[in-house]
Amino acid sequence: MNKQNHQDFELQSNYQKWLDESNIQVQSQLFKTATENVVAGWGCVATSFIKEGTILFEIPREACFTSNEFSRGGHGDGSSSSEDDEDEADVDKAITSDTQKKLALKLLREMENSERDTRKVSKWKPFLDLLTPHPLPWTWPKSFREKVLLGTELEKVVEKKVERIRKEYKKITSSSAAATKGKSKKKSCMPNVTYQQYLRATSLVASHANPWFGVSIVPFNTTLNCPNVGDEANVEFDLVKKKIQLPLSGTASDATNTPSSNKSKRKGRNGTRKGNKNSKEKTITQVMIVGKAMADIQPGQELFQQYGDSVAELVYRCGFAPRRLEWTDGGEARSIDNRVDLKGNGKRIDCYDEIGVMEGDVVSLSIRHIVQCVEAVLKKNFNRDKGDSGVVITSLLPRMEALKQSGAIDESPWDGLNGWEYVTAEISMPSKSFMSAHLKKNNTDDRSGNDNSKKRRRNDDTSGEQDKSVYDDGGISKLIGISLVLMANEEEWHRISTALKEAMKAKRSTHDSDDDDDDDESRSDDIAASSILASLANLNASQTQKLRQLALDVGQDDNDPWRALLLFVSKVKAINESKDFNSNIDEMRKKQKIENIDGNATPNATTNGLLWKLAFEAARLAIQKRMDVLLEGEKNCMSLLEELTRESQKQQSTSAILPFSGKKKDDLFEEEELNYEEKKDAIHTVQTLRNVEKSILLRAVEVLDDASTELIIEHDVIS
């Protein structure tokens, strides 16, 4: 047995002993905890067949590493002391505020106490020794992370996290905090901790903690790895309440290590007593974390659990990305030609293999970024002779408020990104049903070689029963709608604003008088979206009502109705413009002063027809510029990899073992340098995220081009 195997054996032995002492119920005959044949670090591998539904782990609260000491009021049955009540009440805040402070401090205190007195080794040591630390993006050196993360979803998110970490560290190490009296204040003060130690602790907590019992690190929940692409999670964890029968001669602590007290007899605390005074048993309710097999698991197969629903989340919280995500070089495509002409200049860009994109992956386009692109397009088409003065969109803030009300844009889901600077439109992969219909339609067009626009209109008929997610195009129609609203002239904007206020007023009135809560505030965005587009297109009352009903029908179950709304408006508007084109041409020239409108113009050159084309142009520009920044960050990564390779070769040639770090840290907030392998791993991890985002944007361009033929071509088809 080599040294590493001996260390692993010792860790496993100590861990197994700790599990037995912590009253954790484990089906150890079905699997083993090991470092071999697992994705990373420690993991669990099936040694026998595991049937779907099998309970593998039952972990009581006292065996979970929480920010509160279990022995100081926390109860094994899930009840809590007044101090715990405060923390339980702040669970949502703890999760959404993205802080690891409390648990990180407890982790540091456990380590400090063990180092101070080797005779008082932390009772948690056998468990904590199995946790595998990994450098997270906010622990990377500043210059390195800025270059690597450039253009990705995490660029600004990580910088905000660093700001919060520094504030937390300054607070817990400040002299004023150290001098503060009071038990609770002392618990949050560790003046001798270095910034690097605090970073490592927060990193360990972030990658292993879950929001149970206020935020805790749970055995086995921390051990099971995340599946790679192509694999699926086969184990899930959940908080479960379990009733336990106890003899009256005993106490709750006999079964749960819970301190006996008068409080434990209260209804709703340790449970409800069953039976009368003469009963010989009582029932308590114990809360525990239960791990259950979600599918049949074969011997030799690793036990997996799902860590998150997006690559960005995994990189941010765990420091890794699912493997088997490789950049294609123009080989066989899975569903489309895997090279897309992004800039419209004949240049083809390789498209990322979409199998690696997770359900929650998105690319955010800030509203400020979209506004700049809209202004650039307006200037190019309407303001060429006015120098560099540019085009300023009037009533910008009210327009953005209206778009936010409609669900087209929203606040960032990441903690710390507040204010209009971080309000975004999200682009994602279209729904499977959309892609199925989209690909089928494109294949039909390609085989026939004919223009199937009329057939397409019939296939997109929104009447009748159908899968409403077929309209979910990944946010492209929302982006088009945003551009249309921003491009609207003053008259159109006034119409939109008035209609939106009336629609919201009518909805509140209807909701107040209706006892049915189904029509709740969650549908306000669909109603707002239909009101905006109806007033923008100047639809009549009957058409407006149909559009609103369409929004409510398609938008139910949190589906995206924007594409269905744009299709409806495009068709109706095309018919109206076809009828009124000749009579309105002179008046439109006066209003908009568009030079290319003349007696020989076509219906597509009408004011709204042109604005629709410009809206598509602005949307495409927004996607292009977002891609440009991603590509710039990719160049940074390639340069860093080349630099790392040169340094590695230089070290090998001198036969010297030189660390990539070791520089004296004069800056209070200076992060630790990463070694060669850590840097290389970080670059490849972020490149996986970057490839996912590039794939989303490239698919978005294709969907946008398809939408332009569906929406703008309606004018030609109907006329």
Side-chain angles (χ1 to χ4, degrees):
M1 182 182 293
N2 59 37
K3 184 177 180 180
Q4 183 61 50
N5 288 340
H6 178 74
Q7 290 177 343
D8 290 348
F9 178 78
E10 187 176 359
L11 285 173
Q12 284 179 298
S13 299
N14 293 337
Y15 181 53
Q16 185 59 52
K17 183 180 178 181
W18 179 83
L19 291 174
D20 295 337
E21 294 174 347
S22 301
N23 296 322
I24 298 175
Q25 303 300 313
V26 183
Q27 298 279 9
S28 55
Q29 76 278 9
L30 298 179
F31 67 91
K32 65 178 180 180
T33 302
T35 56
E36 297 178 351
N37 301 318
V38 296
V39 169
W42 288 90
C44 293
V45 180
T47 55
S48 300
F49 173 75
I50 301 175
K51 185 176 178 57
E52 179 181 357
T54 301
I55 302 296
L56 298 171
F57 324 101
E58 291 183 315
I59 306 144
R61 173 172 175 165
E62 64 266 27
C64 301
F65 188 79
T66 68
S67 57
N68 296 310
E69 279 292 350
F70 173 79
S71 60
R72 296 185 180 181
H75 302 288
D77 59 0
S79 59
S80 57
S81 68
S82 58
E83 182 180 352
D84 285 335
D85 286 339
E86 293 178 5
D87 288 317
E88 294 291 351
D90 289 339
V91 169
D92 289 338
K93 182 178 179 182
I95 299 168
T96 57
S97 61
D98 184 30
T99 177
Q100 294 77 40
K101 179 181 174 183
K102 282 188 176 182
L103 210 53
L105 285 175
K106 180 177 178 181
L107 183 64
L108 289 168
R109 281 194 296 270
E110 294 289 336
M111 296 169 59
E112 185 180 63
N113 291 338
S114 296
E115 292 173 358
R116 187 181 300 165
D117 188 347
T118 55
R119 295 171 299 178
K120 296 182 179 180
V121 177
S122 168
K123 67 177 183 180
W124 297 101
K125 189 176 189 310
F127 171 44
L128 299 179
D129 281 347
L130 256 69
L131 304 185
T132 307
H134 196 86
L136 300 189
W138 69 76
T139 70
W140 301 343
K142 179 179 174 63
S143 60
F144 176 78
R145 70 170 181 264
E146 287 179 346
K147 290 179 180 178
V148 173
L149 294 175
L150 179 65
T152 68
E153 285 293 287
L154 296 182
E155 179 184 6
K156 295 179 180 179
V157 175
V158 169
E159 291 311 307
K160 285 293 181 181
K161 176 64 173 178
V162 171
E163 289 181 18
R164 293 196 301 277
I165 288 284
R166 291 186 173 188
K167 288 179 181 178
E168 290 175 1
Y169 176 72
K170 203 169 183 179
K171 188 173 182 180
I172 66 175
T173 58
S174 65
S175 56
S176 59
T180 303
K181 294 182 179 180
K183 185 177 178 181
S184 61
K185 294 295 183 183
K186 287 182 179 179
K187 287 177 67 176
S188 62
C189 172
M190 294 190 72
N192 296 324
V193 170
T194 67
Y195 183 61
Q196 292 75 33
Q197 288 174 326
Y198 187 60
L199 278 181
R200 286 196 295 270
T202 57
S203 181
L204 191 67
V205 170
S207 58
H208 290 83
N210 268 296
W212 294 306
F213 310 127
V215 176
S216 59
I217 301 178
V218 180
F220 291 107
N221 176 254
T222 66
T223 312
L224 268 61
N225 283 311
C226 179
N228 275 326
V229 176
D231 294 322
E232 293 184 358
N234 49 28
V235 176
E236 63 179 353
F237 290 85
D238 202 0
L239 188 145
V240 174
K241 294 181 179 180
K242 185 177 181 180
K243 293 186 181 298
I244 300 177
Q245 299 289 335
L246 294 177
L248 283 178
S249 58
T251 64
S253 58
D254 293 334
T256 62
N257 295 330
T258 305
S260 177
S261 67
N262 290 331
K263 289 182 179 180
S264 67
K265 299 176 183 178
R266 295 179 186 173
K267 181 178 180 180
R269 302 290 292 181
N270 275 23
T272 306
R273 279 186 178 273
K274 299 291 183 181
N276 55 32
K277 303 190 270 193
N278 300 320
S279 175
K280 295 182 179 180
E281 289 187 344
K282 65 178 179 179
T283 301
I284 68 168
T285 300
Q286 187 179 36
V287 180
M288 58 180 63
I289 305 302
V290 172
K292 181 171 66 175
M294 300 166 57
D296 291 345
I297 305 173
Q298 303 299 325
Q301 189 176 349
E302 184 172 0
L303 276 58
F304 290 123
Q305 64 172 326
Q306 194 60 50
Y307 279 28
D309 63 355
S310 73
V311 174
E313 180 185 357
L314 293 180
V315 174
Y316 178 78
R317 190 163 62 90
C318 304
F320 74 87
R323 296 307 181 190
R324 302 182 198 167
L325 307 182
E326 298 178 356
W327 185 250
T328 64
D329 59 355
E332 182 181 355
R334 293 181 179 273
S335 57
I336 60 169
D337 177 9
N338 66 338
R339 290 174 294 179
V340 178
D341 182 4
L342 182 64
K343 298 186 178 182
N345 57 9
K347 183 180 179 181
R348 309 300 280 180
I349 299 178
D350 289 338
C351 178
Y352 179 66
D353 186 350
E354 294 178 10
I355 194 173
V357 180
M358 298 177 69
E359 183 180 356
D361 281 313
V362 300
V363 176
S364 301
L365 306 178
S366 75
I367 186 60
R368 297 294 185 187
H369 168 75
I370 298 172
V371 167
Q372 291 172 358
C373 292
V374 168
E375 290 179 339
V377 169
L378 288 175
K379 177 184 176 182
K380 173 184 172 183
N381 288 273
F382 293 102
N383 212 25
R384 295 176 179 174
D385 58 341
K386 296 185 179 180
D388 296 327
S389 60
V391 174
V392 177
I393 299 172
T394 59
S395 306
L396 180 57
L397 184 58
R399 293 183 195 227
M400 293 194 300
E401 291 282 7
L403 289 168
K404 190 175 178 182
Q405 195 171 1
S406 72
I409 58 177
D410 204 353
E411 296 177 1
S412 172
W414 296 95
D415 187 55
L417 303 188
N418 306 315
W420 281 108
E421 181 183 356
Y422 302 108
V423 171
T424 64
E426 290 185 345
I427 304 298
S428 63
M429 281 295 177
S431 68
K432 291 181 180 179
S433 56
F434 174 86
M435 289 307 301
S436 177
H438 167 81
L439 293 174
K440 182 178 180 181
K441 177 188 59 189
N442 277 357
N443 290 338
T444 301
D445 292 347
D446 291 342
R447 284 194 301 269
S448 66
N450 298 322
D451 182 4
N452 288 311
S453 302
K454 295 182 180 180
K455 292 181 181 179
R456 181 185 301 128
R457 278 202 305 116
R458 289 195 295 269
N459 291 338
D460 287 328
D461 185 9
T462 56
S463 61
E465 291 296 325
Q466 62 181 135
D467 179 7
K468 303 302 190 299
S469 66
V470 74
Y471 296 105
D472 183 1
D473 60 3
I476 289 300
S477 290
K478 285 184 178 179
L479 183 58
I480 298 167
I482 293 168
S483 300
L484 285 170
V485 171
L486 294 175
M487 288 180 170
N489 59 34
E490 280 297 305
E491 179 185 341
E492 291 166 333
W493 166 245
H494 177 72
R495 206 163 58 224
I496 292 172
S497 179
T498 302
L500 189 57
K501 290 177 182 177
E502 291 176 353
M504 292 299 102
K505 182 179 179 180
K507 182 189 179 303
R508 286 192 296 269
S509 176
T510 303
H511 182 63
D512 292 341
S513 61
D514 193 350
D515 294 333
D516 189 356
D517 291 335
D518 289 342
D519 186 24
D520 57 19
E521 193 173 350
S522 65
R523 307 308 306 277
S524 295
D525 54 352
D526 296 334
I527 294 173
S530 66
S531 298
I532 287 173
L533 292 178
S535 53
L536 180 63
N538 203 17
L539 303 185
N540 60 38
S542 174
Q543 293 165 340
T544 298
Q545 182 57 37
K546 287 181 180 179
L547 189 66
R548 172 170 174 166
Q549 190 57 51
L550 178 63
L552 294 174
D553 289 344
V554 177
Q556 61 186 327
D557 299 327
D558 207 28
N559 286 313
D560 180 0
W562 278 80
R563 191 178 185 94
L565 299 181
L566 288 178
L567 283 167
F568 181 93
V569 169
S570 177
K571 294 170 186 177
V572 173
K573 193 62 181 171
I575 294 173
N576 293 343
E577 289 179 354
S578 179
K579 291 178 180 178
D580 301 336
F581 174 70
N582 290 327
S583 60
N584 290 339
I585 194 75
D586 292 334
E587 187 174 346
M588 285 189 293
R589 185 189 292 115
K590 293 177 183 177
K591 281 186 177 181
Q592 299 296 334
K593 298 180 180 178
I594 302 176
E595 296 176 0
N596 65 343
I597 293 184
D598 55 35
N600 297 319
T602 65
N604 266 348
T606 64
T607 303
N608 279 278
L610 179 58
L611 285 180
W612 276 63
K613 288 185 176 180
L614 297 184
F616 278 89
E617 185 179 338
R620 191 182 185 92
L621 181 61
I623 295 172
Q624 174 191 317
K625 288 188 173 297
R626 184 70 172 78
M627 176 67 88
D628 288 344
V629 184
L630 268 176
L631 294 176
E632 184 180 349
E634 186 172 63
K635 290 180 180 178
N636 288 344
C637 288
M638 296 303 103
S639 297
L640 285 170
L641 281 175
E642 291 174 0
E643 182 181 337
L644 284 174
T645 302
R646 287 194 298 270
E647 289 185 24
S648 177
Q649 292 173 346
K650 183 177 180 181
Q651 289 186 21
Q652 291 175 3
S653 63
T654 58
S655 300
I657 304 176
L658 300 174
F660 282 82
S661 57
K663 183 177 65 174
K664 184 177 178 181
K665 294 175 174 53
D666 299 321
D667 185 355
L668 174 66
F669 295 117
E670 189 169 356
E671 299 87 355
E672 284 187 314
E673 283 291 330
L674 303 176
N675 61 37
Y676 171 77
E677 290 298 331
E678 288 172 337
K679 282 186 176 181
K680 189 169 71 170
D681 183 60
I683 292 171
H684 285 305
T685 294
V686 174
Q687 192 57 27
T688 297
L689 171 62
R690 194 184 311 278
N691 288 343
V692 164
E693 295 178 8
K694 287 163 69 175
S695 180
I696 291 173
L697 292 178
L698 290 170
R699 177 64 83 182
V701 172
E702 187 198 39
V703 174
L704 182 66
D705 290 345
D706 179 75
S708 67
T709 61
E710 283 190 304
L711 298 175
I712 296 179
I713 202 170
E714 294 294 345
H715 298 82
D716 293 325
V717 172
I718 297 175
S719 62

